[in-house]
């Protein structure tokens, strides 16, 4: 067996712990091994010589650097030839999104949930990658928020405190590629109302309506 090893780093070049790497056979897609990075970001795995790809995703331990709560990058290494002991460092496509949550008058709003739940394909490296991320944070008493996401993220959802008169607000077309500071304004809520009727025009109860962006 040969030893595949290296250092996993976050978007700022810092070694990061508890990142799970899955090594797959390049031809069959069969998983040949999994390993979590240690406190120094290091990983090591014994493999037969061959051609592989590597997926990266969250582990259930706490990492020593900020990261999304849930994420997948598949694959993060598209082609790796192992022939004898091999070093392959991993640079995660993390960026930090930060700023303030406000109302439309620019007044800071605390307790806003800034949530990411998105998936997409990314070919910026020249090859196909599947990216998936779920993470969230609450803005603090000054309205400040900060969270780590994946490059290529396009949308987030802002949910105000339940006792406010602000509306859940969707932000699209972010297209993040680098650390970004951006303030987000939540819209004032309007009321949508009406009557739900059956096929004979009779008002009907217990019909659930879901409103999507």
């Amino acid at each position: 067996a040969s030893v595949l090893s290296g250092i996993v780093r976050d978007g700022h070049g810092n070694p990061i712990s508890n990142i799970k790497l899955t090594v797959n056979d390049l031809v069959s897609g069969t998983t040949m091994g999994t390993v979590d990075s240690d406190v120094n970001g290091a990983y090591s795995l014994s493999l037969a010589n061959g051609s592989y790809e590597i997926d990266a995703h969250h582990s259930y331990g706490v990492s020593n650097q900020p990261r999304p709560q849930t994420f997948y990058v598949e694959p993060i290494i598209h082609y790796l030839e192992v022939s004898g002991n091999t070093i392959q460092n991993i640079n995660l496509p993390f960026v930090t999104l930060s700023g303030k949550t406000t109302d439309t008058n620019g007044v800071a709003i605390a307790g806003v949930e800034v949530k990411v739940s998105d998936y997409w394909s990314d070919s910026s490296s020249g090859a196909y990658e599947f990216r998936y991320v779920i993470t969230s944070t609450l803005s603090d008493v000054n309205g400040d928020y900060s969270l780590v996401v994946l490059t290529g993220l396009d949308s987030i959802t802002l949910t105000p405190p339940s006792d406010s008169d602000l509306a859940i607000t969707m932000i699209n077309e972010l297209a993040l590629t680098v650390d970004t500071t951006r303030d987000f304004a939540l819209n004032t809520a309007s009321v949508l109302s009406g009557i739900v009727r059956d096929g004979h025009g009779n008002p009907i109860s217990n019909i659930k309506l879901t409103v999507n962006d």
Side-chain angles (χ1 to χ4, degrees):
S2 298
V3 176
L4 172 64
S5 62
I7 304 294
V8 183
R9 300 181 187 275
D10 67 8
H12 297 111
N14 303 307
I16 184 170
S17 63
N18 282 317
I19 300 298
K20 187 173 292 294
L21 303 177
T22 301
V23 180
N24 304 311
D25 181 80
L26 189 64
V27 175
S28 68
T30 302
T31 296
M32 306 304 292
T34 61
V35 62
D36 286 5
S37 59
D38 66 17
V39 69
N40 299 308
Y43 75 94
S44 179
L45 190 66
S46 295
L47 296 168
N49 290 342
S51 300
Y52 300 96
E53 63 180 15
I54 302 176
D55 298 337
H57 55 98
H58 65 283
S59 184
Y60 292 101
V62 176
S63 293
N64 60 355
Q65 299 292 338
R67 65 166 173 86
Q69 293 155 351
T70 300
F71 78 92
Y72 294 87
V73 181
E74 300 178 343
I76 193 165
I77 300 297
H78 300 269
Y79 176 81
L80 177 65
E81 189 70 29
V82 173
S83 180
N85 293 345
T86 302
I87 295 175
Q88 176 64 63
N89 295 323
I90 308 288
N91 296 311
L92 299 170
F94 289 174
V95 291
T96 300
L97 177 63
S98 60
K100 284 185 176 293
T101 54
T102 72
D103 63 16
T104 53
N105 295 315
V107 177
I109 304 297
V112 175
E113 182 188 41
V114 182
K115 184 174 182 178
V116 172
S117 180
D118 204 1
Y119 64 90
W120 64 96
S121 61
D122 185 282
S123 300
S124 60
S125 65
Y128 172 85
E129 290 179 5
F130 172 77
R131 296 187 179 186
Y132 174 74
V133 58
I134 297 177
T135 195
S136 65
T137 190
L138 290 177
S139 59
D140 66 16
V141 293
N142 299 310
D144 294 323
Y145 76 91
S146 178
L147 75 171
V148 175
V149 298
L150 299 180
T151 58
L153 178 72
D154 197 55
S155 63
I156 65 169
T157 304
L158 309 173
T159 302
S162 58
D163 59 352
S164 80
D165 62 351
L166 300 172
I168 295 174
T169 303
M170 189 82 177
I171 306 295
N172 295 307
E173 300 181 354
L174 290 171
L176 297 178
T177 58
V178 296
D179 290 351
T180 300
T181 300
R182 182 167 170 183
D183 297 342
F184 294 119
L186 288 85
N187 298 315
T188 302
S190 299
V191 176
L192 172 66
S193 63
I195 304 294
V196 180
R197 300 180 187 275
D198 66 12
H200 300 287
N202 302 307
I204 184 171
S205 63
N206 288 316
I207 302 298
K208 186 178 291 295
L209 304 178
T210 302
V211 179
N212 303 311
D213 180 73

